[in-house]
Amino acid sequence: MRKWHRWLSVFFAVVLLFVAVTGLLHYVAVWWPSAPPSAEALAAQTPPADFVCPEGWRCTPPRAEDGLRSSLGLIHHLHSGEEGGLWGAIVVMLSGLALVFFSVSGLWMYVAMWRNRRAKGLKGGAFWR
């Protein structure tokens, strides 16, 4: 198990780091404060007089697309692998599967080492040095 864990991590560490960074950028872009819409933009978006906002919907004008928010689409496409076409999406999907594998195999190896140490009568506890 360690052999697979080690060799797969060499490749997927780079991809998972890229996915993590673009995911963080995505949320930074979403939460980044943007300028309120100008009076002209609000006037252009004014709904017709007979328009009624459906119940449960929030009918507010969209925020201005400036700064980092304007690149939100690109960041999303990079994060999901869509910018790389079919192969990019496949690599990102495999990275997600690798993340599950690393979580399970890492826990498996930890439990095996913990049992080994306990069987040999070495220092116990959940975290040892």
Side-chain angles (χ1 to χ4, degrees), residues 50-121:
D50 59 342
F51 175 77
V52 177
C53 187
E55 185 177 338
W57 287 37
R58 183 174 43 160
C59 299
T60 58
R63 292 191 280 180
E65 298 289 327
D66 61 345
L68 201 53
R69 184 168 271 284
S70 64
S71 60
L72 189 58
L74 173 65
I75 294 170
H76 172 74
H77 283 262
L78 288 171
H79 178 71
S80 65
E82 293 174 40
E83 278 298 309
L86 177 62
W87 287 107
I90 289 172
V91 167
V92 169
M93 182 192 63
L94 289 175
S95 297
L97 291 172
L99 190 56
V100 171
F101 169 76
F102 292 142
S103 299
V104 171
S105 65
L107 185 61
W108 182 336
M109 288 186 299
Y110 175 81
V111 168
M113 288 189 306
W114 181 76
R115 285 183 179 163
N116 244 354
R117 291 184 66 79
R118 200 171 92 190
K120 291 179 181 178

Side-chain angles (χ1 to χ4, degrees), residues 13-47:
V14 175
V15 179
L16 288 171
L17 182 63
F18 177 78
V19 170
V21 168
T22 54
L24 288 171
L25 277 175
H26 182 272
Y27 278 103
V28 167
V30 167
W31 294 338
W32 195 263
S34 60
S38 65
E40 299 86 29
L42 285 175
Q45 295 172 355
T46 303

